[in-house]
Amino acid sequence: MIEIKKLHKSYPIGKDSLHVLKGIDLHIKEGEFVSIMGSSGSGKSTLLNIVGLLDEHDEGEYYLNGQLIKNLNEKKAAILRNKFLGFVFQSFNLISYKTALENVALPLYYKGIPRKERLKTAMEYLDKVGLKDWANHLPNELSGGQKQRVAIARALVTKPKVVLADEPTGALDSTTTDNVMDLLRDINNDGMTVFVITHEEEVAAQTKRIVRLKDGIIISDELTSKSKAV
Amino acid sequence: MFDIDRWREIFQSISKNKLRSVMSGFTVAFAILLFTLLFGIVSGLSNSFKDAFADDAQNSMFVRVWKTTKPYKGLQTGRRIQLKNNDFDYVKDEYDGKIELLTARVNRNVNISYKNNQDNYSLRAVHPDHQFLEKTIIDEGRYINQRDLKEKAKVIVIGRLVKEDLFGEKPALWKRVNVNGISYQIIGIFSDEGGDNEERMTYMPITTAQMIYGNNDEINSINIGYNPDLSLDEAIAFGNKLERDLRKKLNIHPDDQSALRVQNMAEANKGVGSFMLALYFIVIFIGSGTLVAGIIGISNIMIFVIKERTKEFGIRKALGAQPSSIVGMVVQESVLITTIAGYLGLSLGTYILSQIGDSLEDYFITNPSVSPGIVIGATVVLILSGLIAGYVPAKRAAKIKPIVALRAD
Ligand SMILES: Nc1ncnc2c1ncn2[C@@H]1O[C@H](COP(=O)(O)OP(=O)(O)O)[C@@H](O)[C@H]1O
Ligand SMILES: [Mg+2]
């Protein structure tokens, strides 16, 4: 599903440049549940943003669903994101003036789905994350855990191939963290590829594969006990 | 392309961010309101000027006489000046090429009766050219002609209101009426844009009046329509020369304004013309200034709005929004707000102008209004500026990488 070879990424800082990813090789197959761990600044978000087509890499190769990602313009990137990818962010990134339901329905709008169908599908996904009764509330009327569940419903509503989550539990307490991880596991059990960034060991332990990043290179890549349980 | 979902997105964005929308709308509405009022008031002023001169021909000159106020060549002050036929002939012969229309005028008050109806009316005894100088509109029959003059015919042309007084709905043309006891035939009925007083007037041949009322050759005034080929300056020079020559002929001190004066429309026209020109320049200057201020206002607000929405655009892009959809959304929103606000400003402006109506006539403002051309022009300018004000910053915002946009606050 995701195939990365010798991937490099630098950020220009003034005249210098900061070499963040220094040759990443990573292969994630369809249906995997992978977490990326590493200390702050190790390049986790950079990697996920490149995978999510929100940013571009400098060197190396990246195949998404078998397609080589190179010199994408914004329009093509937008189409691929809409078709293959779902995002969950640490800060939720819900649109503040839209209700939970409208937030969830928004990716379907960009997919060109008619409004009625959009709202119906969005409601189904809100129901899946247990927030049917909160459909008409604005984000600021929801708790952190509820907001993240809305964001997850929004990430899933287009039935993407891959769900990318950048510290989805970073802003949540331990109970809601467990809720969110349970949700991600259910999604994965339904066959979706899930790619999570975290720096919490307990969170990573609930995934099936842990990739550890340090200073822009992968220092370990191993399966967890969860994967063996299947 | 009409896209109902796009419109829904825009209406939501506008209605859920009321303060923002009202702010950007207000600038535009205010600019258009000022613009409308300004143009309206100037049009009101120009209406007043037009009304003031609508009554008479634009190229007319009046020779009027009163009493002398300066001694001259041993003659006393307080001498009454009297124009006579030979003065009229003098003007006619002396200035032939410069004159298009010429008439003398004798004013009288007369009693006119028809059967049991009778009343007092003003009478003007004139030459045929008077019709064109006074812009008399013949509704029925004809005006006085040369033959009437020559024959000293007992004929009369009556105003629409005189006819109504004496005849009501019945036909009056060719009927005979009594004017101070003498029978005249009505040869014409006229109307006049100069108002009721003018339509309560009567006209007869000047020769007839001179014969019947006093049997003399006196006239009250001479009205001239100067040759329209003359420029305003030439016409003014002509008026001044005429004034000098007539004063000389009648033994009046050259500077005695109160004894004989030539009132020249050319002078008034020149004054009005340059005044209106100056006024229009000022208005165009201020008006475009207001519009430009409105455009700058909305551009600034749009830049601010788009900055505020950068993160939202980042989210939308992460969810699959293409750059064109972001630009389209912003531009459409901006145009919608400018159009609605512009329309509101315009409606309010026209409403205020219509309320003003005639109430400011004392300040020389009559029926202020804006012409549709100016309204459409201003609206087009506004829509275009809304388009540009939205397009430029939106295009820039849409170029920002989603990852950068998402990091914005
Ligand atoms: N857009 C950027 N411009 C410059 N430097 C950046 C940018 N994004 C990230 N960095 C830097 O790259 C490094 C890796 O960042 P990031 O991938 O966010 O790390 P992590 O998610 O593992 O904490 C950090 O030092 C960060 O400051
Ligand atoms: Mg990070």
Side-chain angles (χ1 to χ4, degrees):
Chain A
M1 177 84 312
I2 292 167
E3 205 171 349
I4 289 170
K5 288 176 187 162
K6 298 200 179 60
L7 186 107
H8 288 261
K9 173 75 183 175
S10 305
Y11 288 117
I13 295 183
K15 279 182 183 168
D16 303 326
S17 76
L18 179 69
H19 202 177
V20 179
L21 298 179
K22 304 167 181 168
I24 303 280
D25 288 290
L26 183 64
H27 190 135
I28 298 174
K29 290 197 280 291
E30 189 156 6
E32 279 201 273
F33 190 7
V34 184
S35 60
I36 298 206
M37 290 212 58
S39 54
S40 181
S42 56
K44 306 182 297 285
S45 295
T46 305
L47 178 59
L48 184 118
N49 290 333
I50 289 170
V51 170
L53 307 178
L54 297 174
D55 206 349
E56 291 161 353
H57 58 279
D58 301 330
E59 275 174 49
E61 286 170 8
Y62 167 31
Y63 295 89
L64 172 64
N65 199 32
Q67 181 177 351
L68 178 67
I69 303 301
K70 208 178 165 189
N71 298 332
L72 276 192
N73 63 26
E74 263 300 329
K75 185 177 170 175
K76 281 184 194 149
I79 293 169
L80 287 178
R81 282 197 291 267
N82 189 252
K83 207 165 159 189
F84 293 121
L85 306 170
F87 293 92
V88 180
F89 303 95
Q90 177 175 355
S91 54
F92 322 125
N93 282 343
L94 299 176
I95 292 177
S96 59
Y97 61 84
K98 286 182 178 287
T99 63
L101 185 68
E102 288 162 347
N103 264 289
V104 174
L106 194 56
L108 296 174
Y109 165 62
Y110 289 118
K111 217 179 177 108
I113 309 272
R115 180 179 156 86
K116 247 191 173 156
E117 196 182 330
R118 236 157 50 208
L119 293 179
K120 187 168 153 275
T121 315
M123 194 54 113
E124 279 168 26
Y125 278 85
L126 266 185
D127 194 16
K128 262 189 198 165
V129 299
L131 288 177
K132 198 176 179 173
D133 296 339
W134 296 83
N136 293 318
H137 287 250
L138 291 173
N140 62 13
E141 297 162 347
L142 304 175
S143 73
Q146 287 174 321
K147 280 186 218 175
Q148 199 57 300
R149 281 189 279 159
V150 172
I152 290 172
R154 183 178 65 181
L156 299 178
V157 76
T158 52
K159 297 196 182 73
K161 297 246 181 215
V162 184
V163 171
L164 302 167
D166 191 343
E167 310 217 22
T169 60
L172 305 179
D173 62 33
S174 59
T175 340
T176 43
T177 293
D178 290 343
N179 271 336
V180 166
M181 288 314 291
D182 287 347
L183 252 174
L184 290 179
R185 183 165 2 94
D186 291 346
I187 296 164
N188 177 244
N189 286 341
D190 290 344
M192 222 174 262
T193 312
V194 181
F195 192 17
V196 193
I197 292 180
T198 180
H199 56 257
E200 296 167 76
E201 288 290 347
E202 313 87 80
V203 170
Q206 294 185 50
T207 66
K208 293 176 182 170
R209 176 180 166 193
I210 303 180
V211 176
R212 287 178 201 275
L213 219 58
K214 194 182 176 191
D215 292 337
I217 47 174
I218 293 174
I219 53 168
S220 82
D221 183 350
E222 51 203 17
L223 298 178
T224 65
S225 54
K226 299 267 177 191
S227 71
K228 288 152 198 158
V230 177
Chain B
M1 185 189 67
F2 183 76
D3 179 350
I4 184 123
D5 281 325
R6 164 75 66 78
W7 282 110
R8 253 195 207 104
E9 281 288 309
I10 286 164
F11 281 125
Q12 186 176 45
S13 153
I14 289 177
S15 62
K16 295 285 172 70
N17 300 284
K18 283 203 185 71
L19 181 68
R20 188 175 83 194
S21 316
V22 167
M23 256 175 35
S24 29
F26 183 78
T27 332
V28 175
F30 196 68
I32 279 287
L33 175 64
L34 284 183
F35 183 84
T36 315
L37 290 181
L38 212 62
F39 265 88
I41 283 168
V42 169
S43 84
L45 281 174
S46 102
N47 285 343
S48 301
F49 279 114
K50 276 185 207 140
D51 283 359
F53 298 113
D55 186 18
D56 304 314
Q58 289 292 311
N59 58 338
S60 47
M61 268 180 210
F62 304 97
V63 181
R64 293 222 171 99
V65 291
W66 298 272
K67 284 179 181 168
T68 59
T69 55
K70 287 184 164 116
Y72 187 64
K73 285 187 178 168
L75 292 163
Q76 296 275 307
T77 62
R79 181 168 57 100
R80 220 179 71 94
I81 302 298
Q82 178 64 59
L83 292 171
K84 301 214 166 130
N85 282 353
N86 67 28
D87 298 315
F88 176 82
D89 294 336
Y90 168 78
V91 172
K92 189 172 173 180
D93 298 339
E94 205 73 6
Y95 302 99
D96 193 29
K98 289 183 171 149
I99 292 176
E100 182 195 35
L101 301 166
L102 183 63
T103 177
R105 202 195 250 185
V106 171
N107 299 314
R108 284 279 182 279
N109 282 312
V110 292
N111 179 282
I112 305 180
S113 63
Y114 176 75
K115 289 187 178 165
N116 292 327
N117 297 330
Q118 59 97 24
D119 208 339
N120 292 323
Y121 299 96
S122 300
L123 168 76
R124 284 177 185 156
V126 297
H127 291 91
D129 279 357
H130 195 281
Q131 179 187 359
F132 308 106
L133 280 164
E134 186 62 43
K135 291 193 183 165
T136 303
I137 303 153
I138 291 294
D139 296 333
E140 292 178 65
R142 62 172 179 85
Y143 201 71
I144 291 152
N145 62 22
Q146 282 300 337
R147 213 172 120 200
D148 298 332
L149 283 183
K150 215 159 120 202
E151 294 174 354
K152 298 181 180 146
K154 295 201 186 66
V155 293
I156 190 165
V157 180
I158 61 172
R160 190 176 60 83
L161 295 176
V162 178
K163 186 252 164 190
E164 252 176 56
D165 285 354
L166 299 176
F167 293 87
E169 294 298 303
K170 296 201 190 85
L173 195 63
W174 312 126
K175 293 270 175 354
R176 293 197 152 267
V177 287
N178 254 303
V179 180
N180 286 359
I182 297 172
S183 173
Y184 282 78
Q185 185 174 36
I186 298 172
I187 53 165
I189 298 160
F190 71 89
S191 52
D192 193 302
E193 281 173 359
D196 285 2
N197 276 341
E198 287 293 336
E199 295 187 327
R200 215 173 274 283
M201 191 64 69
T202 58
Y203 292 103
M204 70 169 62
I206 189 162
T207 49
T208 314
Q210 281 177 334
M211 175 186 71
I212 290 177
Y213 306 104
N215 197 14
N216 55 30
D217 62 351
E218 295 179 356
I219 56 183
N220 293 113
S221 64
I222 301 173
N223 299 7
I224 301 164
Y226 62 78
N227 188 336
D229 292 341
L230 296 183
S231 71
L232 278 183
D233 288 329
E234 284 169 343
I236 290 169
F238 166 39
N240 290 340
K241 181 168 185 330
L242 179 66
E243 199 171 64
R244 271 197 313 276
D245 292 351
L246 281 175
R247 279 184 193 151
K248 199 168 167 191
K249 180 170 185 296
L250 293 166
N251 288 324
I252 300 169
H253 187 282
D255 297 329
D256 197 346
Q257 291 290 334
S258 312
L260 181 147
R261 192 147 76 226
V262 173
Q263 284 172 338
N264 196 342
M265 270 300 202
E267 286 178 38
N269 281 342
K270 187 161 175 160
V272 170
S274 35
F275 177 69
M276 289 310 291
L277 199 68
L279 207 61
Y280 268 109
F281 267 116
I282 293 171
V283 159
I284 286 170
F285 186 71
I286 301 178
S288 23
T290 331
L291 273 190
V292 167
I295 293 169
I296 292 175
I298 185 151
S299 312
N300 276 334
I301 290 166
M302 281 320 284
I303 289 172
F304 168 77
V305 162
I306 282 166
K307 211 165 199 162
E308 195 190 67
R309 294 180 75 180
T310 305
K311 180 156 186 157
E312 179 192 329
F313 297 153
I315 298 171
R316 286 176 182 270
K317 281 177 155 190
L319 301 180
Q322 298 174 16
S324 59
S325 112
I326 305 251
V327 174
M329 187 172 78
V330 172
V331 168
Q332 219 162 307
E333 188 176 320
S334 159
V335 169
L336 186 72
I337 291 179
T338 10
T339 313
I340 291 177
Y343 185 75
L344 285 181
L346 195 63
S347 313
L348 186 63
T350 9
Y351 176 74
I352 292 175
L353 291 179
S354 75
Q355 289 304 100
I356 290 176
D358 290 342
S359 63
L360 287 182
E361 233 162 67
D362 287 349
Y363 301 95
F364 224 55
I365 294 169
T366 317
N367 281 328
S369 63
V370 280
S371 70
I374 285 176
V375 168
I376 292 168
T379 314
V380 168
V381 167
L382 274 173
I383 293 177
L384 281 180
S385 54
L387 216 113
I388 295 165
Y391 182 79
V392 173
K395 187 82 187 167
R396 211 179 304 146
K399 268 200 193 124
I400 299 176
K401 276 202 232 160
I403 180 65
V404 178
L406 277 170
R407 222 183 283 128
D409 282 305

